[in-house]
Amino acid sequence: MSKTLLIKNANVLVTMNEQREEISNGAVFIRDNVIEQVGPSATLPQTADEVIDASHHVVLPGLINTHHHMYQSLTRAVPAAQNGELFNWLTNLYPIWANLTPEMIQVSTQTAMAELMLSGCTTSSDHLYIYPNGCRLDDSLEAAQEIGMRFHAARGSMSVGQSKGGLPPDRVVEQEADILRDTQRLIETYHDAERHAMQRIVVAPCSPFSVSRDLMRESASMARSFGVSLHTHLAENVNDIAYSREKFNMTPAEYAEDCGWVGHDVWHAHCVQLDDAGINLFAHTHTGIAHCPCSNMRLASGIAPIRKMLDAGVSVGLGVDGCASNDSGHMMAEVRQAMLLQRVGFGPDAMTARQALEVATLGGAKVLNRDDIGALKPGMSADIVMFDVRQIGFAGALHDPVAALVFCTPPNVACSIINGRVVIRDGRLTTIDLGQVIERHNTLAFALAEAAR
Ligand SMILES: [Zn+2]
């Protein structure tokens, strides 16, 4: 027996379809986990097993987060790491992260996912690259399943410690053979290649300054043999460029190409310092980018040339990045910062509110190599979010409620549907006891900081 769900009377329904239609008094009709019809409320079925009245709400495709390190939500605003650039910031945090436990991974994943979901995100990737004390990616996958978020779990890794010229301390790196073995196990256990998949695995060595060239190459060939995506950090700041020049005698883009790390199945986080040749390479190879404006500002990495990348035809998605360099995981706030930061760098017409929303929906879907999320149209996964426009932050902005979502105070959702399931109703998560999770999270955060003293 199939179950139907009708969302109707939306103030505005943003489809992100080919025509970028926005429908006044819009409705969506869902059967099980898939959207069956989208249009004006009057033209759709009038009843369903469940009906949600979206009067006074803007309805959007669920936002897509393409870069995160959820465990870092245990180390937000750590005093020693508040004011450094990337390499200095990492050096202060590695010793703390060395004491992570499986429970910490599980609880921090739920905290980070709850924050994302409440802020309009329905699909997220997470890049977990540190596995001390028996931590496994399985801990994140279980947490995601329980909270009900669509999840691309990236099996990160670090193999080049300080003794071999890398940045991380030796005690947090792994052997490359172990990394590849565990990655294959995860793909074989969890990866779902079907449309509407809730769980996918991504092969994701942490960065060129923490793994070897061999591991980059072997990761690419493993990913391609299983048909899964590849993800890493690239060209984040000027020190990152200098390391690449000194160690490999190449720009980061040249190094990526040399290792087989370009293609529609690859996306790189940041690319703040990607040069014009790199932008052209990424455009013609359909290589994606995760833009993380808050983190780039927080670590003073610079302003990624997103306008230029979009004009060149590069696929760009949005990422909140880890909670230790943001230190928020609010997806709609990130959309706002993406719009504002492009303007700081490249002028007031560098990015509109709707272009920023497009990066966070269609852009994210493309970067994650999916054709079933990012838009509200028949045949797409039922990932839908609703924002109440009667809240204080939107007062006086209802000339254009869609733009208001981006220009005004970043809002939380009233309702969120992921894969046809209502996971947030009346602004509250239906799948977990959030109060309990936050309390446990804070206890673990203090324990983690204490262990490093
Ligand atoms: Zn990152």
Side-chain angles (χ1 to χ4, degrees):
M1 262 298 276
S2 65
K3 183 175 177 285
T4 56
L5 172 62
L6 174 67
I7 300 168
K8 63 177 188 180
N9 305 327
N11 177 317
V12 189
L13 184 140
V14 178
T15 64
M16 291 290 169
N17 66 11
E18 284 72 14
Q19 297 78 36
R20 305 293 185 269
E21 260 175 293
E22 293 177 4
I23 304 170
S24 301
N25 196 3
V28 189
F29 186 80
I30 299 158
R31 188 176 300 277
D32 295 327
N33 59 336
V34 180
I35 294 172
E36 205 166 81
Q37 294 181 58
V38 178
S41 296
T43 67
L44 261 63
Q46 296 303 300
T47 61
D49 295 327
E50 182 175 358
V51 179
I52 295 176
D53 180 20
S55 304
H56 309 289
H57 289 73
V58 177
V59 175
L60 288 179
L63 307 179
I64 298 166
N65 178 42
T66 61
H67 187 64
H68 207 326
H69 312 287
M70 296 186 182
Y71 75 88
Q72 291 181 8
S73 52
L74 292 159
T75 53
R76 297 197 224 226
V78 165
Q82 282 178 12
N83 305 315
E85 61 73 58
L86 176 66
F87 285 13
N88 166 284
W89 170 86
L90 277 170
T91 310
N92 277 301
L93 287 167
Y94 283 138
I96 301 179
W97 298 337
N99 294 302
L100 284 165
T101 65
E103 188 198 5
M104 289 177 184
I105 299 292
Q106 190 140 19
V107 174
S108 60
T109 299
Q110 288 203 338
T111 302
M113 286 188 168
E115 190 177 15
L116 283 170
M117 287 161 69
L118 287 165
S119 64
C121 183
T122 53
T123 297
S124 185
S125 186
D126 185 45
H127 191 186
L128 181 61
Y129 53 80
I130 188 163
Y131 294 90
N133 313 311
C135 292
R136 302 186 311 160
L137 193 60
D138 310 61
D139 303 321
S140 311
L141 285 150
E142 276 165 29
Q145 209 167 20
E146 197 187 357
I147 201 169
M149 185 168 219
R150 200 180 296 280
F151 189 34
H152 286 225
R155 206 304 181 180
S157 53
M158 299 192 290
S159 62
V160 179
Q162 276 161 4
S163 64
K164 292 183 189 155
L167 195 69
D170 288 348
R171 63 184 171 126
V172 297
V173 306
E174 297 173 89
Q175 297 297 320
E176 300 199 341
D178 297 343
I179 292 166
L180 290 166
R181 198 177 316 113
D182 190 49
T183 306
Q184 180 166 345
R185 173 189 69 83
L186 289 160
I187 296 170
E188 288 171 346
T189 311
Y190 296 105
H191 185 72
D192 181 357
E194 298 295 314
R195 286 188 99 234
H196 314 302
M198 288 295 285
Q199 280 185 340
R200 289 207 177 145
I201 300 295
V202 179
V203 183
C206 186
S207 64
F209 56 82
S210 54
V211 303
S212 73
R213 190 187 294 240
D214 276 355
L215 187 64
M216 291 294 285
R217 288 200 172 129
E218 283 175 40
S219 296
S221 72
M222 175 184 285
R224 293 200 167 110
S225 73
F226 285 100
V228 306
S229 287
L230 287 160
H231 180 50
T232 193
H233 293 91
L234 201 79
E236 184 163 348
N237 72 3
V238 290
N239 292 337
D240 199 356
I241 304 291
Y243 183 93
S244 183
R245 277 266 172 234
E246 193 187 314
K247 191 97 174 172
F248 313 120
N249 194 28
M250 290 182 192
T251 66
E254 288 166 350
Y255 182 66
E257 187 178 31
D258 183 65
C259 294
W261 276 71
V262 291
H264 69 280
D265 53 354
V266 183
W267 86 102
H268 296 281
H270 304 302
C271 296
V272 173
Q273 307 292 343
L274 196 67
D275 58 7
D276 286 356
I279 291 174
N280 289 332
L281 173 70
F282 280 25
H284 77 75
T285 55
H286 308 290
T287 307
I289 283 172
H291 175 44
C292 308
C294 285
S295 172
N296 297 160
M297 287 188 273
R298 155 72 145 94
L299 298 173
S301 301
I303 305 174
I306 299 304
R307 177 75 270 150
K308 199 191 239 185
M309 291 171 178
L310 291 171
D311 290 345
V314 177
S315 303
V316 179
L318 203 60
V320 297
D321 202 3
C323 285
S325 69
N326 186 320
D327 298 69
S328 145
H330 195 290
M331 199 60 200
M332 196 55 93
E334 205 68 27
V335 175
R336 184 170 192 256
Q337 295 293 9
M339 177 185 79
L340 297 177
L341 187 58
Q342 281 308 290
R343 292 174 179 214
V344 173
F346 312 107
D349 57 355
M351 189 174 280
T352 67
R354 284 172 172 79
Q355 286 165 347
L357 284 172
E358 189 169 320
V359 166
T361 51
L362 292 172
K366 204 150 180 216
V367 161
L368 295 185
N369 213 8
R370 294 190 75 126
D371 64 1
D372 55 351
I373 55 174
L376 302 183
K377 53 185 189 181
M380 300 296 274
S381 304
D383 288 4
I384 300 163
V385 292
M386 294 170 38
F387 294 92
D388 189 334
V389 298
R390 291 167 296 188
Q391 49 192 301
I392 180 71
F394 297 141
L398 301 184
H399 328 282
D400 185 350
V402 177
L405 290 177
V406 185
F407 274 100
C408 302
T409 306
N412 275 2
V413 297
C415 176
S416 173
I417 291 153
I418 300 181
N419 210 38
R421 175 187 187 195
V422 180
V423 290
I424 296 174
R425 198 189 293 277
D426 300 323
R428 301 179 88 87
L429 280 156
T430 62
T431 50
I432 59 161
D433 182 337
L434 184 58
Q436 232 171 51
V437 171
I438 292 172
E439 198 180 321
R440 187 68 192 141
H441 184 91
N442 281 326
T443 303
L444 294 171
F446 281 122
L448 185 61
E450 199 53 47
R453 269 182 224 283

